[in-house]
Amino acid sequence: MNYKNIYKQNGKYIIKKNIYCKSITYGTFDNLTEAIEQINILMKNKWHKNETTNYPKQERFPKYQIKKTECRYLVLNKKTGRTFGTYKNYEYANIIKKILPFYGNKINIRLIEKIAHKEFYKYISYNKRKDVYHVIYGGFVRSTHKKLINALYERDLIIKYDGDEELMCEDSTIIHDYKKEDLPSFEYECENIRYRDENRNKYQLEKQIRNHKIVIGSYPTYDLACLIKRYLDTKKWRGDEVRHIIKSTRRIHKRDKYIHKRNGHFYIERKKNDKIIIYAKYKDIELARYVKNNLAINNWHKRFIKNFERKYYLNNFETEYYYDSTDFFIKCV
C-alpha cells in the first residue's frame, strides 16, 4: 500500500513533501506507524516544523509577522528582525508570510513573491482578446467578469464551497474586501528586474540594449523598480531618459551614504582607520542629510555640526532628491 509523502529507503521510512516549490524532509522513522502518526500531526499544524510537531529548536521554522508602515506592509522575521517588502496589499503580504517559513534561512524572495503572486490570483485567467477575466475551477470556466475585483470575489466563494453553486447563491459574504487596498499587478512584472541579495537596495533594474546589459539602478522595493521600468517603457528607453534615471538614482544613493537607521534614529557615521565614527543622530532624516552633506564638504570636522543644525532650522532646508510617499521617482528639473 502506498502512503503519500512517505518513502521507504534502506528499511527506514522518510517523510518528504513539496510545499511552495520547496522539497522538505520531515524526518526518518523506524516503522510505518510512526511515520503515519507524524504525518497526522504535521497535517493538523499546516506542515510546520515547530514545538507542537516535536522538532528540536535548531530545526524549527522561523516565525513571521506582518507590520504596517504608513499604507504598506512589511513581513518581519520575529527572531532576526529581517524584513521583506513593502507590499501594498495585506492579503498578498499574508501569503508571503505563509510561504517564508518553509524556506528557512535560505530566502530567495523573488521566487517567493512569484509563488505568492500565483497564489493570490489562483484560478483566475485573463482573456486578452476579449478583455475579460475568467474564473476557472474544476477544469472549466465558472464565471466571466469585466473587472478583476469581481473575479476575485467570485473565486473566493467558489473555493469556500468547492464550487457548489447552490451554497454559493445562499451566501453573499465577502471573504476579503479587495476594495480597501490596491491589488498587485495581474501581470507579474519580472522582466528586467532582478533580486540581488548582495545589494543594499535589493531590486536591480537592468536592460539589454543592443549587445550591452545596462544596469539602471537598484531600489528598495519591487514596486518602485516596476514604476521606474514602466516610466522608461513609456519613453521607449530613449538614451536621454535612461541616462537621466541612472544619474538620478546614483544621486539618491549618494544622498543617504553614511546615514544608517537604527531604533527610530538616523545615525551619521563612517568608517575611518577600521573604526566606526558616529558624528550625530537625529529623528529627522532631512536634518541628517543636511548635516551629513555639509560635513562632507567641510572635511568631516565635528566642531561645525552645531552650526549646520542652526542653519537647517533657520532656513528649513529640504533635500533635492527623494522617494516620496507613493514610492515614485521625483524627476529633477
Side-chain angles (χ1 to χ4, degrees):
M1 187 175 180
N2 292 325
Y3 292 90
K4 194 176 180 182
N5 302 314
I6 299 177
Y7 303 87
K8 191 173 182 180
Q9 186 177 324
N10 300 325
K12 303 280 187 178
Y13 295 89
I14 302 170
I15 299 176
K16 285 185 181 179
K17 184 172 175 63
N18 287 320
I19 304 177
Y20 297 123
C21 300
K22 178 80 171 173
S23 179
I24 300 169
T25 301
Y26 284 91
T28 303
F29 300 84
D30 293 327
N31 58 68
L32 184 58
T33 303
E34 288 179 0
I36 292 171
E37 286 175 359
Q38 183 62 16
I39 277 189
N40 290 333
I41 293 169
L42 285 164
M43 289 175 67
K44 287 177 183 176
N45 290 274
K46 300 180 180 179
W47 292 91
H48 278 252
K49 288 185 180 180
N50 54 32
E51 188 177 2
T52 307
T53 49
N54 305 317
Y55 288 91
K57 262 188 178 180
Q58 63 271 22
E59 291 183 33
R60 291 174 195 168
F61 287 170
K63 292 181 180 179
Y64 288 87
Q65 68 181 98
I66 296 174
K67 298 208 81 171
K68 190 167 185 180
T69 123
E70 294 183 2
C71 298
R72 291 176 177 260
Y73 301 95
L74 283 169
V75 184
L76 170 73
N77 183 312
K78 291 176 76 174
K79 184 177 179 181
T80 65
R82 187 179 179 187
T83 59
F84 301 93
T86 57
Y87 304 109
K88 56 189 175 184
N89 185 281
Y90 177 83
E91 296 304 328
Y92 179 74
N94 198 40
I95 295 171
I96 298 282
K97 174 179 171 277
K98 288 178 182 177
I99 298 171
L100 278 166
F102 293 96
Y103 280 77
N105 296 318
K106 295 180 179 178
I107 302 296
N108 180 344
I109 194 61
R110 291 293 294 111
L111 172 62
I112 289 168
E113 287 173 349
K114 193 171 185 178
I115 295 166
H117 187 274
K118 286 182 179 179
E119 190 76 13
F120 189 90
Y121 289 117
K122 195 174 183 179
Y123 304 126
I124 297 176
S125 173
Y126 176 61
N127 186 321
K128 193 171 183 179
R129 186 172 61 84
K130 294 184 178 180
D131 189 27
V132 293
Y133 297 92
H134 298 303
V135 180
I136 301 172
Y137 190 82
F140 62 95
V141 176
R142 301 298 301 265
S143 59
T144 300
H145 306 269
K146 285 295 289 181
K147 291 183 178 180
L148 176 57
I149 196 167
N150 292 336
L152 284 164
Y153 288 138
E154 182 76 5
R155 186 275 314 269
D156 288 352
L157 277 175
I158 287 172
I159 292 172
K160 182 178 178 180
Y161 292 111
D162 195 22
D164 189 316
E165 291 186 9
E166 189 174 329
L167 290 172
M168 287 167 57
C169 288
E170 293 174 359
D171 186 359
S172 58
T173 305
I174 292 174
I175 296 166
H176 300 302
D177 189 356
Y178 296 105
K179 290 179 181 176
K180 283 184 177 180
E181 296 171 336
D182 292 335
L183 296 175
S185 169
F186 186 76
E187 296 296 328
Y188 190 70
E189 303 174 80
C190 58
E191 184 187 4
N192 303 120
I193 299 171
R194 300 286 179 268
Y195 182 83
R196 308 192 72 90
D197 199 54
E198 69 273 14
N199 289 355
R200 182 180 175 186
N201 293 293
K202 306 295 185 184
Y203 298 91
Q204 182 167 293
L205 178 61
E206 53 192 49
K207 176 77 169 176
Q208 192 78 22
I209 299 177
R210 299 183 184 90
N211 296 322
H212 300 284
K213 183 180 80 171
I214 297 175
V215 176
I216 310 303
S218 58
Y219 304 94
T221 67
Y222 179 68
D223 284 339
L224 179 55
C226 284
L227 285 166
I228 295 169
K229 174 189 176 295
R230 285 201 291 271
Y231 171 80
L232 288 171
D233 284 343
T234 62
K235 301 297 181 182
K236 302 187 185 300
W237 293 82
R238 288 201 325 262
D240 60 330
E241 292 291 348
V242 170
R243 287 190 292 274
H244 162 72
I245 293 295
I246 291 173
K247 187 178 178 182
S248 296
T249 301
R250 286 174 180 169
R251 285 179 177 171
I252 286 173
H253 290 330
K254 189 177 178 182
R255 170 203 68 182
D256 285 342
K257 191 177 181 182
Y258 304 124
I259 297 175
H260 300 92
K261 187 177 181 181
R262 291 195 302 275
N263 303 321
H265 286 83
F266 298 95
Y267 287 77
I268 302 172
E269 58 187 39
R270 69 184 188 121
K271 198 172 185 178
K272 187 177 180 182
N273 300 325
D274 294 325
K275 290 183 179 180
I276 300 293
I277 300 173
I278 297 175
Y279 292 85
K281 71 172 184 178
Y282 305 104
K283 285 196 171 183
D284 181 353
I285 181 63
E286 296 291 344
L287 173 56
R289 288 169 183 157
Y290 178 78
V291 172
K292 186 268 296 187
N293 289 340
N294 281 280
L295 277 169
I297 293 167
N298 289 275
N299 296 317
W300 295 90
H301 289 304
K302 282 187 173 183
R303 66 178 182 273
F304 297 131
I305 289 175
K306 292 297 180 186
N307 289 337
F308 301 149
E309 290 172 356
R310 279 194 292 271
K311 283 183 181 178
Y312 175 83
Y313 287 120
L314 282 170
N315 295 284
N316 194 26
F317 286 110
E318 288 187 358
T319 50
E320 186 178 1
Y321 300 96
Y322 61 99
Y323 301 127
D324 72 3
S325 59
T326 60
D327 258 356
F328 197 68
F329 218 77
I330 298 299
K331 187 166 180 177
C332 179
V333 290

